[in-house]
Amino acid sequence: MNDQSIQYIESLFAVDPDLERVIEGIKRENMPQISIAPGYGRLLTILVKMTGASRILEIGALGGYSGICLSRGLGDDGQLISLELREEYAAVAKKHLEAAGLAKFVTYKIGDAKESLKQLEAEGARFDFFFIDADKRSYPIYVDYALRLALPGAVIVGDNSLLHGKVADLDNRSESAEAIRTFNRMLVEHPRLDTTILPAYDGLTIARVKA
Ligand code: MG
């Protein structure tokens, strides 16, 4: 998708004040400007609504952009558990969800996501929607946990499945590119999953656990 196509698509949509606030907040706090692409944010809302998901696990909160998109798809009894390494990022994300009127849905768990996942598994927690957008080298581990914590029919979405062209460049042997390749292959080849990979923006891998 070239820049002109993206500009055309974005011109169709009204400015979204809740998401603009996130973009501005992230800049102001000098956080990395790596929120999910707008078209994929809208897709997250649609996927949550279409699947009727009510228990979402997000790995990587950053400034709350995807958290807002995910929460918008939830019904009144919906829940979003969001894992975030940095306490200061979770505070920013929480502020943005509050400003968007969505704070009632979200609980942040601070610290290494692998520790939080271990704890959630020990508690017997189960989810029907996963959104993975954190440390790329840990994507394969996150998939393993998602599969163990998934209810039948659960959806697993991973952002940055192309990693700025690094994943498709087979000469690139960096740890993050290799991890994303493993992640994509795990989801595509897993017998319990139906999977697709969307190539727009930085790539989005979407899988559904067979019921
Ligand atoms: Mg991302």
Side-chain angles (χ1 to χ4, degrees):
M1 222 161 61
N2 61 32
D3 286 351
Q4 196 177 26
S5 299
I6 292 174
Q7 277 169 20
Y8 161 70
I9 292 169
E10 290 311 317
S11 76
L12 299 175
F13 292 89
V15 171
D16 188 318
D18 295 330
L19 296 176
E20 282 298 310
R21 195 181 297 114
V22 177
I23 301 290
E24 291 306 314
I26 282 176
K27 279 187 202 156
R28 201 171 45 241
E29 301 288 337
N30 286 316
M31 292 163 67
Q33 294 172 42
I34 52 167
S35 296
I36 191 168
Y40 284 160
R42 290 187 285 266
L43 178 61
L44 289 179
T45 305
I46 293 169
L47 285 172
V48 172
K49 286 187 181 179
M50 280 174 75
T51 56
S54 63
R55 288 190 51 81
I56 305 175
L57 182 65
E58 173 183 62
I59 306 176
L62 193 63
Y65 191 107
S66 53
I68 287 174
C69 297
L70 291 163
S71 299
R72 281 176 173 172
L74 286 169
D76 282 343
D77 60 344
Q79 274 188 298
L80 168 68
I81 307 280
S82 182
L83 312 185
E84 173 53 52
L85 178 62
R86 293 166 179 258
E87 191 163 9
E88 64 272 25
Y89 287 5
V92 170
K94 189 176 179 191
K95 196 176 71 184
H96 290 143
L97 267 87
E98 276 168 2
L102 298 165
K104 64 172 182 172
F105 292 114
V106 65
T107 305
Y108 291 98
K109 288 187 181 291
I110 316 293
D112 184 341
K114 293 186 280 297
E115 290 304 315
S116 298
L117 287 161
K118 194 189 290 179
Q119 192 192 337
L120 286 165
E121 187 177 35
E123 291 167 2
R126 291 293 178 271
F127 299 90
D128 49 18
F129 201 104
F130 299 83
F131 178 57
I132 301 171
D133 193 13
D135 164 37
K136 306 309 165 201
R137 290 166 302 178
S138 301
Y139 266 36
I141 297 167
Y142 299 150
V143 174
D144 274 334
Y145 272 107
L147 286 164
R148 293 207 293 275
L149 302 181
L151 291 162
V155 172
I156 303 171
V157 179
D159 189 33
N160 308 105
S161 29
L162 296 174
L163 211 54
H164 319 293
K166 291 179 193 161
V167 171
D169 172 10
L170 300 181
D171 292 330
N172 187 318
R173 313 304 292 182
S174 67
E175 209 183 331
S176 51
E178 292 283 37
I180 299 277
R181 279 182 204 118
T182 303
F183 166 82
N184 285 331
R185 207 177 309 112
M186 284 169 84
L187 291 176
V188 168
E189 293 178 356
H190 200 288
R192 277 178 68 209
L193 298 174
D194 293 313
T195 299
T196 189
I197 302 176
L198 305 184
Y201 303 110
D202 196 27
L204 193 77
T205 304
I206 305 176
R208 178 181 178 274
V209 179
K210 291 174 187 170

